[in-house]
């Protein structure tokens, strides 16, 4: 996709920003996970990439860690120390990973972060159970702070979690429907991705004593950032490099996902759009969809592109990115923090994984 | 089993007490469930027995509703109105039902409250998703009260939920082990059943402003009540009347559950105990366990009884019941409330379902 226009944030070191989030939050996250009763602690450690399937220490890919970085910046946006945001960063990561564990099982995904998913290695029951445990732990990590701010943070996290679950419910229901509108798809993605990213951007500030208006404005940035993030994810889900994403080729097409490029292409009209619609309708009824060749998926991807679904989605990512950055004007924060939040937004739309 | 000795609570109308809990909490519970995005609202309504599998209004069996009754009495124990306990009652019911949805799926249980379980009717993904949603809703119902007391209540509920999940993890791991000690089994049951019942008995008081010492003492009553409750459940799981319990005959034996009567019988020593141990070891390796006849389960049940597992468990239920009632002495509460808590404890150990 067309790279976004860099703003005045050329000096921000994104790798260092993500690394700071990881460095400050991972020890607290590991300590929380260590509280789980066996064998859930081991299963969770495998999921996070801290050990391999045989239980040996590993230095696996724990994900991009965008959310922890955002939670620490969130605290700084409210004038608090980055450390103030750590319990929020950990709680959001726990909710994010709870949803990954359950979603991978529900969606039948066999690979995540270049490794077999938990249900594949440890079985469905452990995937359910450990997901539940991480979800409970998220609230525990916040509520045991025992402060009024922690109660407010937990409330926001709970609301975000509910939206996340609503989004997954919508996503699953879309797979069984022939047609989904672009609006429905955006609503689903706002729930499934926007809500928790929004929470990551407000939770540190709330823990740092920010008022509801400030928190809401930060959430607006996070919500649009989430929509930009998901639009890019939808592009990577079809055209991403499997070596970079850790997923199969044509991953979202294999799962019949009604992602943005697909719904936009179907809504576009014209020859390619109609041909795509016919193919996908036939696919939904096909008994040998699972044995489709690479070429068959490539044909569908080419039709999506020809109908304009790829370009529409790339434009949508840029549009949401711009709205997110604009929202930052509503909060009075240190210029350095604003530059870092802007740079993170830029990173989200240009990433390859 | 031998009926417990009625205390000075002969005048307490248990049916009315349970009915009050249902009447006050069900409208709030239904309003909370109505917030779920479709189709989760429908799936949840089916689970609670408010509609049938075809979506028609139903007046299904929503369970015994011991927990809501306890939560309202809990508020009264702290000198507050029963209504003060309602959000706590609803939150505890939501957590309880979240765990039922996930446990039924993990355990492969096909029947619950005389009806097909959610995963059987709506599929595994809906069982996972709606369970998650109810769990999130539980915290939301409390935290949206926005009070310090609600934050404390949510913290206790979160701790109880974590123990509940620990207990389910232990329960599952026991099914794959040849031997489980009586102590391990009691620890598992304390987590799986005791923790949430304990929370039901403290949450209303916490919402009513009780201090931590009062809440902890009420939890001690609830914890032991939970162990008594589970011991009775373990008896019903083998010798219960399917018409009353809504479960299959020999339900726990069919699932190879290492429940109290089984572990106590295996620990007892003697001819019947050894013969039982040999049979269960062979069962664990058997390929045609699923096609066992009624007689084969009856043989195992008879050996458990002969080895003393049934009598030991009945005695354990009475012992925990006595400890629970004793714990009530630690809290200064209206005599009527004490009589009702005592009567509920009596009910729990003499019930047939």
């Amino acid at each position: 996709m067309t790279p976004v226009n860099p703003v005045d944030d050329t000096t921000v070191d994104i790798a260092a920003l993500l690394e700071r989030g990881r460095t400050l939050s991972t020890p607290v996250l590991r300590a929380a996970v260590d509280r789980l009763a066996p064998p859930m602690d081991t299963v969770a450690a495998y999921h996070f990439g801290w050990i391999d399937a045989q239980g040996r220490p590993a230095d696996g890919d724990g994900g991009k860690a965008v959310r922890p970085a955002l939670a620490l910046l969130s605290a700084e946006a409210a004038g608090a120390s980055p450390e103030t945001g750590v319990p929020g960063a950990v709680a959001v990561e726990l909710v994010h990973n709870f949803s990954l564990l359950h979603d991978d099982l529900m969606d039948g995904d066999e690979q995540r972060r270049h490794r077999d998913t938990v249900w594949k290695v440890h079985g469905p029951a452990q995937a359910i159970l450990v997901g539940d445990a991480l979800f409970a732990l998220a609230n525990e990590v916040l509520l045991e702070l025992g402060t009024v701010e922690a109660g407010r943070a937990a409330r926001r996290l709970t609301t975000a979690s509910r939206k996340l679950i609503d989004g997954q419910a919508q996503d699953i229901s879309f797979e069984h429907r022939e047609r989904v509108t672009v609006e429905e798809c955006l609503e689903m993605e706002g729930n499934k991705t926007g809500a928790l990213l929004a929470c990551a951007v407000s939770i540190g500030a709330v823990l740092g004593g920010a008022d509801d208006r400030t928190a809401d404005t930060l959430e607006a940035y996070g919500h649009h950032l989430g929509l930009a993030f998901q639009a890019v994810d939808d592009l990577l889900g079809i055209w991403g490099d499997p070596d970079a994403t850790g997923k199969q080729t044509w991953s979202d097409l294999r799962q019949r996902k009604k992602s943005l490029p697909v719904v936009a292409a179907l809504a576009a009209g014209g020859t390619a759009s109609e041909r795509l619609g016919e193919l996908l309708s036939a696919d939904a009824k096909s008994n040998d969809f699972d044995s489709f060749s690479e070429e068959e998926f490539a044909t569908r991807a080419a039709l999506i592109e020809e109908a304009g679904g790829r370009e529409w989605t790339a434009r949508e990512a840029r549009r949401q990115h711009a709205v997110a950055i604009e929202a930052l004007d509503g909060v009075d924060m240190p210029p350095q923090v604003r530059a870092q939040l802007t740079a993170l937004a830029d990173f989200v739309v240009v990433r390859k994984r």
Side-chain angles (χ1 to χ4, degrees), chain A:
Chain A
M1 59 183 288
T2 318
V4 292
N5 230 16
V7 201
D8 59 341
D9 51 347
T10 42
T11 58
V12 177
D13 182 346
I14 292 292
L17 203 55
L18 295 174
E19 191 51 38
R20 181 183 75 160
R22 261 192 223 100
T23 306
L24 287 181
S25 64
T26 304
V28 182
L29 181 64
R30 292 191 77 143
V33 166
D34 276 347
R35 291 189 214 168
L36 299 183
M40 295 189 292
D41 51 350
T42 310
V43 176
Y46 170 77
H47 170 76
F48 283 107
W50 305 329
I51 58 172
D52 67 17
Q54 284 72 44
R56 291 171 302 217
D59 193 14
D61 174 4
K64 290 173 285 292
V66 169
R67 291 170 192 79
L70 285 170
L72 305 197
L73 283 173
S74 166
E76 291 184 292
S81 70
E83 286 77 10
T84 308
V86 168
V90 171
V92 167
E93 273 302 88
L94 287 166
V95 169
H96 175 53
N97 284 283
F98 134 72
S99 79
L100 296 181
L101 278 163
H102 284 190
D103 290 2
D104 284 344
L105 174 59
M106 288 186 262
D107 298 342
D109 285 345
E110 302 189 354
Q111 290 270 311
R112 155 92 48 202
R113 299 167 185 163
H114 306 270
R115 308 155 72 227
D116 284 343
T117 46
V118 164
W119 70 266
K120 190 90 180 138
V121 176
H122 295 281
Q126 290 300 324
I128 296 171
L129 210 47
V130 175
D132 292 345
L134 296 186
F135 193 16
L137 212 46
N139 278 301
E140 200 169 50
V141 162
L142 287 177
L143 291 168
E144 67 192 2
L145 297 174
T147 62
V148 173
E149 288 76 25
R152 289 174 55 218
R155 186 177 168 187
R156 281 184 186 264
L157 184 67
T158 296
T159 303
S161 305
R162 277 246 295 121
K163 286 190 184 168
L164 179 74
I165 296 162
D166 281 356
Q168 171 68 0
Q170 292 167 319
D171 200 10
I172 289 178
S173 77
F174 290 176
E175 282 163 48
H176 303 122
R177 280 169 49 183
E178 186 138 337
R179 283 290 164 120
V180 173
T181 67
V182 171
E183 290 69 31
E184 287 174 320
C185 187
L186 287 172
E187 191 199 324
M188 179 274 283
E189 298 195 340
N191 284 329
K192 194 166 169 176
T193 309
L196 193 62
L197 259 171
C199 185
V201 187
S202 71
I203 201 164
V206 170
L207 290 173
D211 60 21
D212 278 338
R213 203 201 62 80
T214 302
D216 288 344
T217 309
L218 286 169
E219 287 206 359
Y221 158 84
H223 174 76
H224 292 289
L225 182 66
L227 284 170
F229 185 98
Q230 189 57 50
V232 173
D233 238 40
D234 285 356
L235 291 169
L236 295 174
I238 299 178
W239 295 280
D241 172 5
D243 287 342
T245 61
K247 295 178 181 172
Q248 281 184 286
T249 54
W250 321 115
S251 167
D252 285 356
L253 297 181
R254 289 178 196 278
Q255 286 176 43
R256 300 188 172 96
K257 284 235 181 260
K258 302 280 192 305
S259 66
L260 272 185
V262 177
V263 298
L266 289 174
T271 317
S273 173
E274 279 163 26
R275 177 79 191 112
L276 178 71
E278 288 160 15
L279 277 180
L280 297 185
S281 293
D283 292 354
K285 296 169 197 117
S286 165
N287 288 322
D288 46 31
F289 183 80
D290 290 338
S291 57
F292 270 21
S293 66
E294 292 287 305
E295 284 66 38
E296 286 171 292
F297 292 116
T299 303
R300 283 148 187 79
L303 284 171
I304 293 168
E305 189 158 0
E306 205 183 319
R310 186 175 190 172
E311 180 47 34
W312 188 91
T313 305
R315 210 179 317 119
E316 177 67 9
R318 290 193 295 273
R319 195 180 73 78
Q320 296 290 352
H321 166 265
V323 179
I325 289 173
E326 221 175 273
L328 292 177
D329 292 340
V331 182
D332 187 29
M333 66 177 87
Q336 170 69 4
V337 177
R338 183 184 311 269
Q340 288 173 322
L341 287 171
T342 306
L344 260 180
D346 295 347
F347 164 73
V348 156
V349 282
V350 298
R351 72 200 161 89
K352 298 286 174 223
R353 51 170 286 219

